[in-house]
Each structure stands twice: as structure tokens, then as C-alpha cells.
Amino acid sequence: MPYSPSDDHGEARVAATLQGFFPGEVMGSLLLTPSGFRGRVWLPAGVPRPVSAITEVGRTVRRLWTKSDSESHLRASTAQIHDRQIRAFGQAGQALIEATRVGIVGVGGTGSPLAEQLVRLGVRDLLLIDRDEVLESSNLSRVYGSAFSDVHPSWWQRVLAKRPRSKVTIVAEHLRAINPHARIRAFRADVTEASAARRLLDCDVIFACTDEHWGRAVLNQIAYQYLIPVVNLGVAIDGPEGTITGAVGVVQVLRPGLGCLWCGNYLNSERIRAESLPPDARQALEAEGYLRGVAEPAPSVVTITTAVAGLAGTLFLQLVTDFMASAGAVARINYFPLEAVAARGRVPVKTPCLCSKVKGKGDLEPLPVVPGRSVA
Ligand SMILES: [Zn+2]
């Protein structure tokens, strides 16, 4: 049932009045019927836009579609391949996994095993963003899907097999081989570029698997501004003399109600500034000793990065299926390899903080990105 002319008239007046009191705010309305809902939002310009889906973001991310859209987003699950999983989450749970659109930023040590796990779980719509042009030799020890020929192609592989491939292409081709029916989109781009960041806004869940503080700041803001849960993954290993002196793996869920990366002091604005400088200016800062850890490779171990990816993938299952029920409102998991311990962590919401300032603002607030063109 559509909105009636009297709805149109009344809502336009209410929207104008409310926006007079709260300039720049958005007003929304819902029309509930026994068979579904319709909705629209009134932007400050005064033109209503229809709502195609409502997403409830809490300990789960649940998406309700307007009637016309619902059928195309619920596919029959591929029962045989996922038989063992269906025994854990049921047909309904499997359908939810398969209907979820996922973005992964950074397909290195944590991003590539996570991407593989998600495709094996049945995720059929995956957007991969990674800026690396070529795979370095050291990536072979951590990047799932990479092969010896990607770092040491023979002459005929260079000519006939289009080697070397970019990191994001390698991972995407590997995933397509696992499920040729999945929609795997790969973009070689930096998420700090506007065009790359905007591609993520259609995702239901985003994973931040990048080491860069600037990129993580962009994703952190998207989580609260666009109400899209972002799961941040990180691994830090200290081993200055070839001995591990400290190691922690972290999985943190960013969404309204939970503290953001700024709330927890996990982002460094000086480092973001350094990352945004041209390469020669950055090198000068490093040479002067003002900056450490931007260009210097950190220790990394595939078993530890994979363990962190597994923790994040399991949290994805919670976000989609709610299998953990009341225990599922997880803010953070800390994994300490030196102690063989994984434990829940807390991240209190700070006020004031960017996360409350931009919450739900969508396109009304700018993201901390630069104009740029992503390379497909
Ligand atoms: Zn915050």
C-alpha cells in the first residue's frame, strides 16, 4: 500500500517544521502494514527518498527489505556444500550468511584467510579493496591464494599467464575458484580515496584488515556515520632481536553502542598525518626520527594472523545468525599468543567523540578521504 496524498501533505509540513528546529537533520517515516512496510526519509532539501531496506545494527545486523526487494535477496541455500554448517545454524541461518554483502579492506595476512573463510561459509557477495600493486616475496608466507609464480614468474608465465598479478587479483581469482557462482569484486585502490570508500557503502558488514591508520580512520567513521558494522582486525608482534617479546591479536567490532577506535585510543592522528604526506616528505620525517613504523615491516606469522581471521569470521557468524544469543554483544576479543589466551575486552564509549558526532549522518557528513580514482 503506497503513501496516501494526505500522508504526503502532512509529512511535508512536519518535516519542514522539524527541520526548522533542527537544521540539517533528516526525518524519516514508516508505513507499517500486515504484509510489510514502506518508508522514506526527508532530507533537508525537502524531497523525500524511498527506503528500500531497514537495517537493525546491534549485537546482530538484521536487514528487512521492502516487499518488492525481499525475494531477490533470499536465495535457496546450497544445501549439499554447506550441509555441516546447516547442522549448526539451520537453513535460515545459512540463508542469512549467503545473503550478506561483505567488504574486506586489505587482503594480506588477516584479510586473505578471512576472505577464504567467508566464501567457504557461503558468502556470495564480496567486495575486496587493496592498494598493493604487486605481491612481495614476503607476502607468499601469509597471503592465501598466492603462489610461487606470483613472486617469481618464469618468462612464459609473464607472457601467457599475466604474471605478476596484483594482490587483490590473486585473492579474488582464488575465491572465484572456490565458488564460481559468488560475486567477487576486486579493486586495487586505497580506501582513503573517495571512490573506493564509497563502494563499501552498499555492504552489510565491513572488515578492516589494513595496517594503515588513515584507512582504519575512514572505516571507523563509516561504521558510525553509515551504521554499517565494521570489524577491525589487527596483529602486533614485537620481536626486535628475533625473539617475540610481545604479541597481541585484536578483533574489535565498531558500531553504535560500542566504543570506536578513537574512543579506545587505537588511532594516532600524527601517524594519519604522516600517512597522508607525499612519500618524500614521509621519508624525511622518518629520517629525522619523528616517525617510526610507517614504512618498516613488522614481524608477522601466518598462524597468528589466521587465528585472528578465524576469530573475526566467527564474530561475523554472530552478527548474522545471533548464534551466541545474549553473549553475542562482543566489543573486542584480545588474543595473546604468548599466553595462549583469547579474552573479551571492553571499549567504553567516550564523549565527546567523533563516533557520536557523525552517528547516522550518512552523506550529510564528509568522510576523511581524498578525491582519487581507484584502479579496477
Ligand atoms: Zn568514539
Side-chain angles (χ1 to χ4, degrees):
M1 193 203 291
Y3 280 95
S4 69
S6 74
D7 289 333
D8 294 343
H9 179 69
E11 269 184 34
R13 290 187 57 184
V14 172
T17 307
L18 284 177
Q19 281 161 356
F21 285 115
F22 306 106
E25 295 293 332
V26 174
M27 196 196 83
S29 74
L30 283 178
L31 189 65
L32 302 171
T33 65
S35 59
F37 72 91
R38 289 192 183 275
R40 59 189 177 189
V41 289
W42 293 79
L43 299 175
V47 183
R49 301 257 185 95
V51 167
S52 59
I54 297 176
T55 307
E56 181 191 343
V57 180
R59 79 176 192 226
T60 61
V61 52
R62 233 176 305 197
R63 185 162 282 235
L64 307 169
W65 299 91
T66 53
K67 203 160 182 289
S68 57
D69 288 327
S70 61
E71 274 143 38
S72 62
H73 289 87
L74 281 178
R75 304 179 181 93
S77 67
T78 41
Q80 273 185 324
I81 294 174
H82 298 111
D83 172 62
R84 304 287 286 270
Q85 229 166 266
I86 290 167
R87 290 168 193 272
F89 302 112
Q91 288 280 359
Q94 185 63 32
L96 289 170
I97 292 167
E98 293 183 19
T100 306
R101 298 168 301 180
V102 178
I104 298 182
V105 178
V107 290
T110 54
S112 65
L114 175 67
E116 175 160 349
Q117 289 168 13
L118 293 180
V119 170
R120 291 191 190 279
L121 282 170
V123 170
R124 301 167 63 108
D125 193 325
L126 204 53
L127 172 68
L128 309 175
I129 294 177
D130 192 296
R131 69 173 186 181
D132 285 358
E133 192 172 352
V134 289
L135 207 68
E136 293 167 12
S137 291
S138 69
N139 288 150
L140 193 54
S141 64
R142 293 188 308 286
V143 176
Y144 282 52
S146 65
F148 186 80
S149 62
D150 288 309
V151 287
H152 299 294
S154 60
W155 69 268
W156 64 267
Q157 281 170 329
R158 283 182 191 278
V159 176
L160 297 176
K162 294 183 181 165
R163 299 292 195 274
R165 304 173 292 172
S166 69
K167 195 199 277 181
V168 78
T169 303
I170 291 168
V171 175
E173 288 179 7
H174 178 60
L175 301 177
R176 290 184 194 116
I178 297 169
N179 183 359
H181 305 295
R183 181 180 181 228
I184 312 286
R185 288 168 296 155
F187 295 99
R188 185 163 67 75
D190 198 310
V191 76
T192 59
E193 292 172 13
S195 56
R198 292 207 69 81
R199 286 183 197 278
L200 290 163
L201 302 182
D202 286 334
C203 294
D204 301 312
V205 180
I206 299 168
F207 290 91
C209 303
T210 171
D211 292 334
E212 307 274 313
H213 281 225
W214 187 10
R216 285 198 280 139
V218 172
L219 298 171
N220 183 68
Q221 190 162 330
I222 285 176
Y224 296 84
Q225 190 167 323
Y226 288 92
L227 309 177
I228 302 170
V230 171
V231 183
N232 180 59
L233 286 74
V235 178
I237 299 176
D238 287 329
E241 305 293 332
T243 304
I244 299 180
T245 52
V248 65
V250 163
V251 179
Q252 184 173 342
V253 181
L254 308 171
R255 62 161 172 85
L258 300 177
C260 79
L261 294 176
W262 290 113
C263 289
N265 290 323
Y266 301 120
L267 289 172
N268 180 329
S269 50
E270 275 301 298
R271 182 157 163 176
I272 292 172
R273 193 179 73 83
E275 286 172 2
S276 66
L277 293 173
D280 48 347
R282 208 180 322 165
Q283 276 161 13
L285 269 184
E286 278 185 68
E288 290 164 23
Y290 288 119
L291 196 62
R292 280 192 198 155
V294 173
E296 180 74 12
S300 190
V301 179
V302 65
T303 54
I304 297 175
T305 46
T306 303
V308 170
L311 290 173
T314 309
L315 268 189
F316 165 79
L317 290 172
Q318 161 55 29
L319 282 170
V320 175
T321 69
D322 202 25
F323 79 98
M324 293 165 69
S326 60
V330 177
R332 186 175 163 98
I333 301 173
N334 297 309
Y335 169 49
F336 301 103
L338 287 177
E339 287 94 38
V341 166
R344 288 172 82 118
R346 288 179 62 244
V347 185
V349 181
K350 260 193 194 168
T351 46
C353 184
L354 181 85
C355 58
S356 37
K357 180 176 166 273
V358 303
K359 188 166 79 180
K361 292 281 190 181
D363 288 345
L364 299 178
E365 280 284 328
L367 288 170
V369 293
V370 290
R373 219 171 64 80
S374 57
V375 185

